[in-house]
Amino acid sequence: MTNPMTGTVALAIQVVLVAAGAPLLIGLMRQVRARLEGRAGAGVLQPWRDLRKLARREPIGPPGSGIFFTAAPPVLAATSLLVAAVIPLVSTRTPLDGSIDLIAVVGLLLLGTVALALAGLDTGTAFGGMGASREMTIAALVEPTLLLSVLALSVRAGTTNLGAIVSAGVHDPSRVVSPAGALAAAALAIAVLAEAGRLPVDNPATHLELTMVHEAMTLEYSGRDLALVEWAAAARTTLLLGLLATLFLPWGVATGTGALALLTATAAFALKTGLLAAGLAAAEVWLAKVRLFRVPELLAGSFVLALLAVMASFMLV
């Protein structure tokens, strides 16, 4: 039986971890890259400093922009917080346990993507439209891969409830450590790179007009609106890396209601996500951005891997 108080505490921990830790995770990734490139770096806290500076400034919108441009930052931030509340990052026993459905989570992520794409179109600029077009092309290939890669784990668990999938992985490691699990993990890793806008699909540090995807849709934002967009981008990266760690490295996730289990799960989540982020940042030093017309080929390959993972899971049932 779930302790309501403990479940609420676990939910609050997840939201606070993502809300406060997402900029720190981005700072860690930048610092790892800087060290490997022989630079000192600005420090892990620099993203928080940037957000604080932006939050003090008045937002200015382009002439003629409408409700989509205004609504996109809060929608993007709200969907990120909601996903943080429903994904079992720390505990599988939360008040929203019954709502932790794979399809709902992917839908919430897509809602944020569509909101930002509509904002890019709403500006009426060439770069905004270009970025929105590219973003939706990538999303159309990424979302099915996200669904199928997690579905490969849900087949053996017999449910699409993420809490149940993670609990099954904790109690029966063979569900994760298997050929189907390896294929699903590879597919989800590529999808995470694309969804988070990281190399080799996109370069979050570039402002080169011909290669921008995510950055092209945010060029017209400033002040508090830009702070929300930047924070939401960091939160989505944290959530996707956390989802990857929780599904395929589920050990440490609390399946009970004890305080010690929650503390252990919090530390485990921070460690696993931090290691994944540091590994990704290190890999990005040697990765180059692929040409835009090669991105569909890469994502189609990840979709095939996810499909093979699902087929292998059905064979093992």
Side-chain angles (χ1 to χ4, degrees), residues 114-158:
V114 170
L116 192 58
L118 289 175
L121 293 173
D122 198 21
T123 61
T125 62
F127 289 152
M130 177 187 68
S133 174
R134 293 176 176 179
E135 183 74 6
M136 295 313 300
T137 300
I138 292 173
L141 297 169
V142 168
E143 305 304 330
T145 303
L146 287 175
L147 284 171
L148 285 180
S149 56
V150 184
L151 184 63
L153 298 180
S154 70
V155 169
R156 298 187 68 184

Side-chain angles (χ1 to χ4, degrees), residues 225-307:
D225 288 344
L226 182 57
L228 273 179
V229 171
E230 293 293 336
W231 174 87
R236 286 168 69 92
T237 300
T238 304
L239 289 169
L240 291 166
L241 290 176
L243 180 64
L244 183 63
T246 300
L247 289 173
F248 296 98
L249 298 170
W251 303 279
V253 178
T255 57
T257 57
L260 181 60
L262 283 182
L263 289 175
T264 304
T266 302
F269 169 75
L271 178 62
K272 289 186 293 186
T273 309
L275 289 176
L276 281 178
L280 173 58
E284 285 182 339
V285 175
W286 289 278
L287 285 176
K289 185 182 181 303
V290 300
R291 294 182 179 181
L292 189 63
F293 64 85
R294 294 290 186 187
V295 171
E297 298 178 5
L298 175 66
L299 297 181
S302 68
F303 178 80
V304 171
L305 289 177
L307 191 59

Side-chain angles (χ1 to χ4, degrees), residues 72-89:
V75 169
L76 196 59
T79 54
S80 299
L81 287 175
L82 188 54
V83 171
V86 300
I87 289 181
L89 300 174

Side-chain angles (χ1 to χ4, degrees), residues 12 28 60 91-92 105 108 146 162 201 209-210 214 286 305 316:
L28 172 65
I60 300 175
S91 174
T92 59
V105 169
L108 285 171
L146 287 175
L162 288 177
V201 177
E209 292 85 351
L210 296 179
H214 177 269
W286 289 278
L305 289 177
L316 294 173

